[in-house]
Amino acid sequence: MPPEIMSGAILEPDHLRHALDVREKLESRLDHLLDASSAIPENLSAAMEHALFAPGKRLRPLLVYLIAEPDLAQENAALDLGCAVEMVHTASLVLDDLPCMDDARMRRDRPTTHIAFGQATAILSAIALLSRAFGIIAELDIPAAKRTRLATILSTAVGHKGLAAGQEIDLNGRSTLSGTAEVENLNWLKTGMLFEASAEMGAVLRGLRPERMREVRIFARHLGLAFQTADDLLDVFGDAEGAGKDVNKDAGKPTIVTLHGAGHAHMTCRQHVEAAERALRASGVSPAPIEALIAKYLKLETRFDGQ
Amino acid sequence: MPPEIMSGAILEPDHLRHALDVREKLESRLDHLLDASSAIPENLSAAMEHALFAPGKRLRPLLVYLIAEPDLAQENAALDLGCAVEMVHTASLVLDDLPCMDDARMRRDRPTTHIAFGQATAILSAIALLSRAFGIIAELDIPAAKRTRLATILSTAVGHKGLAAGQEIDLNGRSTLSGTAEVENLNWLKTGMLFEASAEMGAVLRGLRPERMREVRIFARHLGLAFQTADDLLDVFGDAEGAGKDVNKDAGKPTIVTLHGAGHAHMTCRQHVEAAERALRASGVSPAPIEALIAKYLKLETRFDGQ
């Protein structure tokens, strides 16, 4: 039985149920927002659906929604904003998996998009998902000033100071990373930044005050680092079937696991979760559904025991 | 001496000078907006600059600006909006040139971005340019409602009903195109739609009335088709040195040239220019600088004589 990474959280079925209900609503909105029509080349449309509707945890859109805690009037905006973030995340996975990047063949229990549709269509589907995300944000039924603020946050998280930068360092700059701080910075760019952007966007939608917004950001940053560290552990100790994707892709690259061993990585992950929980509770957002999600997904398949 | 495609326009030096002055301002804003900083991996930053600062006509941002005809208060917004469009156009060229798409080695008189920086960095630079474009629009110093309208226009032009759709059909669906209408639809997706979006965005910035906006769209659509047809002619009859990029990439694909011959393509191009001019004059936008640009750039290297 795998040990829980979570420290104090008790997995309460009602809270988890709420989070999973939101996920069902998200799935249904995603389908609606993909905006399928005869104007879209069939192959492109199928590639976008292949990537987007593969089974995923939908953590980022859930963060958006559970931090926004929308009333009825804002519920659609919270769902659509979450879907926009999921489209961006999916686009980044499609590109990361390309032969010229991580050269992965499986993702979310399916053949990667370029394996199923060819590289060109995979790249075009990523561009289309990314563009659609910005289009969805531009059309949210909320004041225009909030929409532009959300677009700024997303643009920064994706671009040359965010995901794109992280992937570039991961591919061409990893060998130059020397210490924990540099590896954590890379993890932040690759994972933490979109987690942080998701949480921040939820908080903007909610209209959270600046000092509480700060706590939300701290929460999300630690959560992102916890997930990335867990992912690094999974890459070493997981199997492809359990992970739903290729593993052992990081062999030879410095990660928290390869630098300091699995025991240290496990402890780092736990510390990030604890710091995330503290900040979440200080932010004024209802913590229970989010903690239930973390408890569900931050279990590690641990075949190590502190070495 | 190459014949002019332009029908009635007289190339007036003052108007052309104005357009070229705007282009200089655009180049300088592009550099500013790329927002270089030590936070960006050097390789990624260099790839973005390689693609963006290669010599280009900058037609799309010039359209934005010359249709907006900004006063002093709106000048920076018009320039920045133009730069955002140029970033999107550049991103699309970087991707179109990839080995899995057109497999081009030269573009804008330089090695293509993937030849100079590798495929992964080329793709990431395209993503970064695209994201930055939406970020720039979100931060324009104009009312937020206009910014969101501009983002919607750009998102539609880039995505699964725009550029991405056009490239997908070009790569995987060309052989199924049978007639002129289908080829023109492809040309519209690949070129006309971003021309139309550029012109429409300039008109939104200017606050043009709907009936005149309609003329602007018609103008831009015909102009885009004229440029695409000229490009098809260049692909057959140009040489790589004059074109600044690979030619003969369309061999075996149906284009207006391969379907109906060069004489017909030349006539089609001229008809589109004439229709564009008529709509431009009906739109209330000062036509002269735009016509001067068309006259400068829609000269064809013609080695055919009406066959």
Side-chain angles (χ1 to χ4, degrees):
Chain A
M1 180 146 166
E4 294 273 334
I5 280 281
M6 281 293 291
S7 50
I10 298 152
L11 203 154
E12 293 179 44
D14 283 358
H15 293 134
L16 185 62
R17 169 63 24 227
H18 172 59
L20 298 181
D21 284 348
V22 173
R23 190 163 73 188
E24 272 182 36
K25 288 187 202 169
L26 282 165
E27 297 288 345
S28 144
R29 286 300 291 177
L30 270 179
D31 194 30
H32 174 74
L33 288 168
L34 207 52
D35 191 20
S37 88
S38 58
I40 306 163
E42 208 171 315
N43 207 42
L44 180 62
S45 190
M48 292 169 77
E49 288 174 13
H50 175 88
L52 197 57
F53 297 115
K57 296 191 273 297
R58 312 301 191 196
L59 283 176
R60 292 157 193 79
L62 279 169
L63 266 191
V64 171
Y65 186 99
L66 295 175
I67 284 175
E69 293 189 89
D71 58 19
L72 260 182
Q74 287 215 313
E75 176 159 33
N76 277 344
L79 290 170
D80 291 3
L81 182 56
C83 291
V85 170
E86 187 66 13
M87 288 182 189
V88 167
H89 174 57
T90 302
S92 80
L93 298 180
V94 169
L95 297 177
D96 286 2
D97 287 340
L98 288 171
C100 65
M101 301 212 195
D102 297 348
D103 194 17
R105 301 183 64 82
M106 288 293 290
R107 163 76 70 180
R108 290 177 165 176
D109 291 318
R110 293 185 176 186
T112 47
T113 308
H114 67 273
I115 294 286
F117 293 88
Q119 289 188 56
T121 302
I123 293 169
L124 294 171
S125 72
I127 295 294
L129 288 168
L130 185 58
S131 304
R132 182 79 188 118
F134 283 102
I136 288 169
I137 288 176
E139 288 167 22
L140 292 175
D141 186 18
I142 56 173
K146 273 194 181 179
R147 285 178 270 160
T148 57
R149 194 166 162 204
L150 296 168
T152 298
I153 295 168
L154 189 62
S155 162
T156 305
V158 177
H160 57 341
K161 294 175 180 174
L163 283 177
Q167 185 66 358
E168 170 66 28
I169 295 170
D170 198 19
L171 292 168
N172 298 319
R174 259 226 215 214
S175 58
T176 67
L177 302 184
S178 52
T180 310
E182 288 184 351
V183 170
E184 286 231 314
N185 179 55
L186 172 59
N187 286 351
W188 181 63
L189 290 171
K190 280 190 62 103
T191 306
M193 202 151 175
L194 195 54
F195 267 86
E196 184 178 320
S198 303
E200 192 177 354
M201 288 193 282
V204 166
L205 191 63
R206 177 191 185 118
L208 209 63
R209 292 202 311 274
E211 67 275 18
R212 298 200 146 186
M213 181 80 86
R214 191 177 153 270
E215 298 296 335
V216 165
R217 278 201 211 97
I218 293 171
F219 152 73
R221 182 174 296 206
H222 282 293
L223 187 66
L225 290 170
F227 269 97
Q228 183 61 50
T229 309
D231 207 51
D232 290 343
L233 280 162
L234 194 67
D235 187 75
V236 177
F237 297 99
D239 57 50
E241 197 180 333
K245 61 181 179 179
D246 297 352
V247 295
N248 291 316
K249 305 297 292 182
D250 293 339
K253 292 180 181 179
T255 70
I256 300 294
V257 183
T258 59
L259 280 177
H260 301 288
H264 182 90
H266 194 257
M267 187 187 70
T268 300
C269 188
R270 183 186 294 273
Q271 285 168 346
H272 281 307
V273 169
E274 286 168 0
E277 280 186 283
R278 276 195 303 276
L280 180 62
R281 286 172 181 272
S283 72
V285 173
S286 308
I290 296 174
E291 291 181 349
L293 269 181
I294 298 175
K296 179 170 168 60
Y297 290 115
L298 266 179
K299 293 174 189 166
L300 296 177
E301 290 284 346
T302 45
R303 298 201 189 142
F304 57 87
D305 38 26
Q307 71 271 40
Chain B
M1 181 149 166
E4 295 272 333
I5 280 281
M6 280 292 291
S7 51
I10 298 152
L11 202 154
E12 292 179 45
D14 283 358
H15 294 131
L16 186 62
R17 168 63 25 223
H18 172 59
L20 299 180
D21 284 348
V22 173
R23 190 163 73 188
E24 273 182 35
K25 288 186 203 171
L26 283 164
E27 298 288 344
S28 144
R29 287 301 290 179
L30 271 178
D31 193 31
H32 174 74
L33 289 167
L34 208 50
D35 194 19
S37 86
S38 58
I40 307 162
E42 208 171 315
N43 207 40
L44 180 61
S45 191
M48 292 169 78
E49 288 175 12
H50 175 88
L52 198 56
F53 296 115
K57 296 192 271 298
R58 312 301 192 196
L59 282 176
R60 292 158 191 80
L62 279 168
L63 266 190
V64 171
Y65 187 99
L66 294 175
I67 285 176
E69 294 190 89
D71 57 21
L72 259 181
Q74 288 217 312
E75 176 159 33
N76 278 343
L79 289 170
D80 291 3
L81 182 57
C83 290
V85 171
E86 186 67 14
M87 288 182 188
V88 167
H89 174 58
T90 301
S92 80
L93 298 181
V94 169
L95 298 176
D96 286 1
D97 287 339
L98 288 170
C100 65
M101 302 213 194
D102 297 346
D103 194 15
R105 302 184 63 81
M106 288 291 294
R107 165 75 71 180
R108 291 177 165 177
D109 291 319
R110 294 186 176 185
T112 47
T113 308
H114 67 274
I115 294 286
F117 293 89
Q119 288 188 58
T121 302
I123 292 170
L124 294 171
S125 72
I127 295 294
L129 287 169
L130 185 57
S131 304
R132 183 79 187 115
F134 283 103
I136 289 168
I137 288 176
E139 288 167 21
L140 291 175
D141 186 18
I142 56 172
K146 274 195 181 179
R147 283 178 271 161
T148 57
R149 192 165 164 207
L150 295 168
T152 298
I153 296 168
L154 189 62
S155 163
T156 307
V158 176
H160 57 343
K161 294 176 180 173
L163 283 178
Q167 184 66 356
E168 170 65 29
I169 296 170
D170 197 19
L171 292 168
N172 297 320
R174 261 230 212 211
S175 58
T176 67
L177 302 184
S178 52
T180 310
E182 288 184 351
V183 170
E184 287 231 313
N185 179 55
L186 173 59
N187 286 350
W188 181 65
L189 289 171
K190 280 190 61 102
T191 306
M193 203 152 173
L194 195 54
F195 267 87
E196 184 176 321
S198 303
E200 192 177 353
M201 288 194 280
V204 166
L205 192 63
R206 178 190 185 119
L208 210 63
R209 293 201 312 272
E211 68 274 18
R212 298 200 147 188
M213 181 80 86
R214 192 177 152 270
E215 297 297 335
V216 165
R217 279 200 211 97
I218 294 171
F219 151 74
R221 182 174 295 206
H222 282 293
L223 187 65
L225 290 170
F227 269 97
Q228 184 61 49
T229 310
D231 208 49
D232 290 343
L233 279 163
L234 193 66
D235 187 76
V236 177
F237 297 99
D239 56 50
E241 198 182 334
K245 62 182 180 179
D246 297 352
V247 295
N248 292 314
K249 304 298 291 182
D250 293 341
K253 293 180 180 177
T255 69
I256 300 295
V257 182
T258 59
L259 280 177
H260 300 289
H264 182 88
H266 194 256
M267 188 186 70
T268 300
C269 188
R270 183 187 293 271
Q271 285 168 346
H272 281 307
V273 169
E274 286 167 359
E277 280 186 283
R278 275 195 302 276
L280 180 62
R281 287 174 179 271
S283 73
V285 173
S286 308
I290 296 173
E291 291 182 350
L293 270 180
I294 299 174
K296 178 170 169 58
Y297 290 115
L298 264 179
K299 292 174 189 167
L300 298 176
E301 290 283 345
T302 45
R303 298 198 191 145
F304 58 88
D305 37 23
Q307 72 273 43

